[in-house]
């Protein structure tokens, strides 16, 4: 392993990696049984993320993306809700553009997925709505298609999610008595009310396509998906994200970086090189990942160890689509090699996606559980309890 310092003061590398898998246009190309098998295989490998992407490969060109859904395709959020029932820990990510779906409907569907999956949902925001055709082209410069428009939408969405997850203020409240007024039964008590805790909503994932994207998104992003990069390039990007996070009033470790990656693995380095040559011949030159991790399982694990220990990235996301057993190969062979090097978890850290990624579960105000004593009136069903007015007031005065 190379001797590389941590990216920046205040940032603390975890030393471990997360894996994610992205499936592009699965509804058009595979049955739900196939999709379930992939999801359960990834979960067996302790993958943190499984992403279903609304974009679709064009059959005649594996490097091109279709502007419209194939006829008869299924809704991504519906597929993810179905996967929530057959998985227990893996994060379920809907990659969708706000231009492509009605924003309010998309917000509601992802919030519903978060409830169904018990906190495992995420929204991967596809930044460039222009690839989706006429809907994006009709947006004006101030619309959702612009970076500023998306930023405002995302902030509004997060506020909506936090409102849905806001807990009611809690006691303890000591009941002093009860009375009826205007046909309504009340109890009167004294208690220490706390500010309601706010659980953050689904994880928000942004593409890191440009410096401008990072600048605008760093205030709302939980995760950045970065392009394939060398270790030195990844460290430079980490330093930039940490600086921008701190400038935005966030912590140095509050934004995670997951790097897109291609793995070409085999028992030996020679076999992996032959496999990579064959793969490259099947793809347009523009699609081939020149920074692909090619090698034996142990050799690639050693390379990834540098990324983990230096804190250059928090993990990698891959897209298995050329070989049916590619994902299982990573789960069965690469994951154990990384675990042997203490660079990959041996179990899920939490039941929620935020907990697994090491992201805060609650809003910034949740930790300041301010309390103050005051009279409390609780509306509720008190059967036929009645108190004389004088007795009621005497009890309240005595307590106060």
């Amino acid at each position: 392993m190379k001797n590389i310092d941590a990216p920046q003061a205040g940032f603390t590398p975890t030393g471990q990696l997360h894996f994610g898998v992205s499936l592009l246009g699965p509804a058009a190309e595979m049955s739900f049984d196939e999709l379930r098998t992939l999801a359960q295989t990834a979960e067996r490998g302790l993958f943190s993320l499984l992403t279903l992407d609304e974009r679709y490969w064009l059959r005649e060109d594996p490097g091109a993306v279709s502007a419209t859904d194939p006829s008869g395709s299924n809704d991504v959020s519906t597929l993810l809700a179905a996967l929530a029932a057959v998985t227990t820990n893996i994060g379920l990510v809907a990659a969708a553009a706000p231009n492509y779906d009605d924003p309010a409907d998309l917000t509601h569907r992802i919030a519903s997925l978060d409830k169904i999956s018990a906190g495992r949902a995420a929204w991967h925001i596809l930044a460039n709505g222009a690839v989706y055709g006429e809907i994006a082209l009709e947006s004006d410069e101030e619309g959702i298609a612009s970076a500023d428009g998306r930023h405002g939408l995302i902030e509004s969405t997060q506020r909506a999610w936090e409102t849905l997850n806001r807990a009611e203020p809690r006691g303890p409240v000591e009941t002093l008595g009860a009375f009826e007024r205007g046909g309504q039964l009340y109890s009167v008590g004294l208690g220490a009310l706390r500010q309601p805790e706010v659980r953050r909503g689904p994880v928000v994932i942004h593409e890191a396509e440009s410096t401008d994207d990072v600048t605008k998104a760093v205030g709302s992003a939980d995760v950045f998906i970065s392009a394939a990069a060398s270790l030195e390039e990844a460290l430079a990007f980490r330093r930039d994200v940490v600086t921008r996070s701190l400038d935005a009033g966030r912590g140095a470790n509050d934004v995670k970086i997951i790097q897109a990656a291609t793995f070409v693995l085999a028992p030996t380095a020679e076999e992996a090189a032959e496999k990579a040559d064959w793969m490259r011949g099947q793809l347009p030159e523009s699609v081939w990942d020149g920074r692909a991790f090619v090698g034996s399982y142990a050799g690639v694990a050693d390379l990834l160890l540098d990324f983990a220990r230096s804190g250059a990235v928090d993990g990698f996301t891959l897209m298995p689509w050329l070989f049916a057993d590619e994902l299982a190969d990573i789960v069965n062979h690469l994951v154990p090699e990384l675990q042997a090097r203490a660079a990959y978890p041996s179990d899920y850290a939490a039941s929620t996606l935020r907990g697994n990624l090491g992201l805060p579960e609650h809003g910034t105000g949740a930790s300041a559980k301010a309390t103050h004593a005051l009279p409390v009136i609780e509306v509720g069903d008190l059967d036929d309890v009645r108190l004389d007015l004088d007795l009621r007031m005497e009890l309240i005065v005595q307590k106060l």
Side-chain angles (χ1 to χ4, degrees), residues 248-277:
R250 305 185 68 183
N253 285 71
D254 281 359
V255 181
K256 306 302 178 183
I257 299 173
I258 305 293
Q259 181 172 302
T262 299
F263 294 103
V264 184
L265 306 170
T268 67
E270 292 75 16
E271 291 174 280
E274 291 178 6
K275 187 176 178 181
D277 288 341

Side-chain angles (χ1 to χ4, degrees), residues 49 203-207 220-225 254-258 357 359:
L49 303 167
V203 170
V204 174
I205 302 174
H206 283 267
E207 296 277 355
S220 60
D222 294 305
V223 177
F224 277 123
I225 301 294
D254 281 359
V255 181
K256 306 302 178 183
I257 299 173
I258 305 293
L357 293 177
L359 294 166

Side-chain angles (χ1 to χ4, degrees), residues 23-259:
L23 304 176
L24 201 64
E29 302 295 339
M30 53 178 82
S31 68
F32 183 74
D33 284 342
E34 292 173 307
L35 188 57
R36 176 176 56 195
T37 298
L38 283 171
Q40 292 176 341
T41 298
E43 189 166 73
R44 178 167 61 83
L46 304 177
F47 276 45
S48 297
L49 303 167
L50 182 142
T51 301
L52 300 190
D53 198 319
E54 283 192 334
R55 294 169 292 186
Y56 291 79
W57 290 123
L58 291 176
R59 286 180 177 274
E60 65 274 14
D61 184 354
V65 176
S66 172
T68 58
D69 291 355
S71 176
S73 65
N74 297 314
D75 175 63
V76 160
S77 59
T78 302
L79 285 172
L80 290 170
L83 287 177
V86 295
T87 58
T88 55
N89 290 98
I90 194 167
L92 303 169
V93 187
N99 310 73
Y100 192 60
D101 282 285
D102 175 76
D105 181 59
L106 182 61
T107 296
H108 178 70
R109 284 189 284 127
I110 296 177
S112 297
L113 175 63
D114 200 46
K115 285 191 174 182
I116 291 169
S117 64
R120 292 191 282 138
W123 179 21
H124 179 167
I125 300 157
L126 299 178
N128 186 5
V131 300
Y132 292 101
E134 295 178 0
I135 294 177
L137 295 176
E138 292 171 357
S139 300
D140 58 29
E141 291 183 358
E142 300 301 323
I144 295 171
S146 70
D148 290 336
R150 287 195 306 272
H151 180 65
L153 169 67
I154 293 157
E155 287 190 335
S156 175
T157 295
Q158 288 177 309
R159 286 194 296 271
W161 284 338
E162 289 188 353
T163 298
L164 291 171
N165 287 297
R166 190 180 296 273
E168 292 298 322
R170 299 177 180 177
V173 175
E174 179 185 353
T175 301
L176 307 179
F179 65 95
E180 181 182 22
R181 181 180 177 86
Q184 176 64 60
L185 297 174
Y186 295 89
S187 66
V188 180
L190 191 71
L193 288 187
R194 298 181 302 182
Q195 293 179 352
E197 290 187 352
V198 179
R199 189 180 74 80
R200 292 182 184 270
V203 170
V204 174
I205 302 174
H206 283 267
E207 296 277 355
E209 295 182 342
S210 69
T211 300
D212 187 57
D213 288 334
V214 175
T215 300
K216 284 184 165 59
V218 75
S220 60
D222 294 305
V223 177
F224 277 123
I225 301 294
S226 62
S230 67
L231 179 60
E232 291 73 17
E233 291 168 336
L235 282 167
F237 181 66
R238 169 68 81 182
R239 284 189 286 269
D240 183 56
V241 169
V242 170
T243 298
R244 294 176 190 278
S245 296
L246 295 173
D247 289 345
R250 305 185 68 183
N253 285 71
D254 281 359
V255 181
K256 306 302 178 183
I257 299 173
I258 305 293
Q259 181 172 302

